[in-house]
Structures are given as structure tokens and as C-alpha cells.
Amino acid sequence: MRIAYVQMKIGFGDKEANLRHAADLIAACPADLYVLPELCNTGYLFASRRQTQDLAEAIPQGPTCEFYAGLARRHNCYLVAGMAEKCAHSLFNSAALFGPHGYIDVYRKIHLFDEEKICFDPGDKPWRIHDLGMARIGMMICFDWMFPEAMRTLALAGADIVCHAANLVMPYCQDAMITRCLENGVFAVTANRVGQDIQGEKSLSFTGKSQIVAPRGVLLHRAGEREPAVFAMEIDPVLARNKLINSRNDLLGDRRPEFYRVSSNPDEPEPNVGRLRGGR
Ligand code: ACM
């Protein structure tokens, strides 16, 4: 299976040029699965919720989805792309999955970063895994990387490949994703942007370095920081199904959830305290 990141330079609000840019990069590099950046049709730095509303589209009825569905059909491939989603009165920072037969599903970013909390509503659907036949994939968006529970949830649900659409502005994620892949035994494709968004006095620079990481925490390929790029490589997704580290240790099987807390609220009882008191 050939998996690819598409690292884009995005013009804020210029959907037509951004979609053409994505299509050109995809056409230049054959693959079975492409991951594109977060919000890659519109740009990232919205001035207000009102402006987000003006640029957001319905998924899958909007023109951006129609464009990506056409691309996936034409190239007989799967693709994951970030876009602002309008759904009734809600606005989501979403990633949509398309395949050779069109639109498949949407993931709505669960962990919003900084001013995204003004412009978007937090994701309202649980993570789902999609079995594409050649691999089982899950989606996450940018700042989700900061929460180990995100990738753990995808790994526990059976993901072989995590498709990570990003607009990274801090310098930590690319290296952190190596640990995420090691601790979960999965592949990850992080597709980031290059360049800047400028809104009046505000600007954000995006850090590039899109990458593909393998289950043992092996960095297979990393892009440069400044230029758009597309890169595809052959992987065997089934490698992600072997969670053994040695003959006695299994990454997921050795977990001790009865000792883990999922909440920082001191008033909440430890989830399995009864089971611990009663012994195993
Ligand atoms: C981010 O979540 N786009 C930083």
C-alpha cells in the first residue's frame, strides 16, 4: 500500500487556488491514500466566527467535498482532507475521508487549539475506524496529538494508520508523533502546511516537516520546513497489528486500565476501585 502526505502552501480564503494546488500535488505522485493538511481549502487563521461561517461548507454536500470526491474517483484512491464544516448552527474543524466511490465519513476535531475555541465548536462524534480493505485507518487533527488518549483510542479501536491533518505552529508535534507511534504500534501520516496566514495584526507561521512514521517509532520520511511537497511510500499496514515488543510484552494487552485514571476531578471515584479492593 502506498501512503502519502501532501504538504501545501495555502492562500487564506482562496479555495479555488488551494484545491487546484492539492490536485496538482496529488496528480504528481501516485498513492493509495493521501493525507492533506487541516483546513486546507480555506486557510487557518480566521478573524472571527462570522468569517468562519462564511467560508465553511456542508459535508458532504458542499463544493469542496464534491471536488475531493471527484479527485478520489479519478485517481482511484483514498484521501483525508481538512476543511471548515457548517452543520446547522455549529461550525466544526473537520477532516473528511473520500474513496474511489466518493465521500465516506467526517471526523470533527475534538481538541481545539487557542482561538479555534472562538471560531469552532468542539467535535461531537466519537473516533471511528474505517476498514479500507488494504488497511484500517483513523483520523485526527493537529492539536489532538497533544492528548495521548486520542491516538490510544484509535489504536485500541484497531487503527493501522493514523491520518493526521495538521496546521502546526509549535515545534513539538513532529517529534512527539514518533513516541505516539511507538507507544501505540501504528503508522502515522502527518500532513502539515508551510508559509503563513496573516489577519490584520495577527500572523501564524506553519512549520512544514510533514512526515510518515512506522509502528516502532521509526521516522520513515520527513519533508522540509518551507516548500510544498508530496511524498508517497510503500508500507505494509499489517505490521501495525503485531503489538508484541518481545515474547512477554504486548503494547495493548499489557495495559492495566484498572489502575488508570481518565479524569482529574478528585470527586470522581477511581473507575475500577471496587475491582482493585476485591483483588483480581
Ligand atoms: C493546531 O491545532 N492547528 C495547532
Side-chain angles (χ1 to χ4, degrees), residues 256-261 270 272 276 280:
R256 303 288 307 278
E258 66 272 36
F259 287 97
Y260 305 156
R261 267 190 173 276
E270 291 184 39
N272 290 303
L276 280 177
R280 302 191 112 226

Side-chain angles (χ1 to χ4, degrees), residues 122-265:
D124 60 352
K125 291 171 185 287
W127 273 286
R128 284 192 284 258
I129 300 301
H130 296 280
D131 191 342
L132 309 183
M134 52 190 137
R136 299 187 296 233
I137 68 151
M139 294 182 272
M140 65 183 213
I141 301 179
C142 209
F143 193 51
D144 283 331
W145 74 265
M146 183 62 111
F147 302 85
E149 294 88 346
M151 236 160 114
R152 181 67 98 199
T153 299
L154 291 171
L156 287 170
D160 303 318
I161 305 170
V162 172
C163 302
H164 183 209
N167 273 198
L168 295 162
V169 294
M170 296 192 293
Y172 317 113
C173 170
Q174 288 90 340
D175 288 342
M177 285 298 283
I178 292 172
T179 304
R180 296 283 169 275
C181 289
L182 172 65
E183 68 200 4
N184 290 295
V186 296
F187 289 91
V189 183
T190 297
N192 192 18
R193 281 180 62 176
V194 292
Q196 272 194 319
D197 271 354
I198 300 170
Q199 282 284 0
E201 309 273 273
K202 289 187 196 160
S203 75
L204 281 177
S205 296
F206 302 96
T207 58
K209 298 200 273 184
S210 297
Q211 64 184 24
I212 300 178
V213 183
R216 293 281 174 264
V218 179
L219 177 62
L220 296 175
H221 193 269
R222 186 177 272 178
E225 290 171 48
R226 292 199 174 79
E227 300 301 323
V230 58
F231 176 82
M233 67 180 302
E234 194 77 29
I235 61 145
D236 180 2
V238 173
L239 294 177
R241 296 183 194 173
N242 176 9
K243 304 296 187 191
L244 288 176
I245 308 167
N246 56 46
S247 61
R248 292 186 183 83
N249 290 114
D250 180 290
L251 272 181
L252 299 184
D254 280 1
R255 295 168 62 251
R256 303 288 307 278
E258 66 272 36
F259 287 97
Y260 305 156
R261 267 190 173 276
V262 290
S263 169
S264 55
N265 179 354

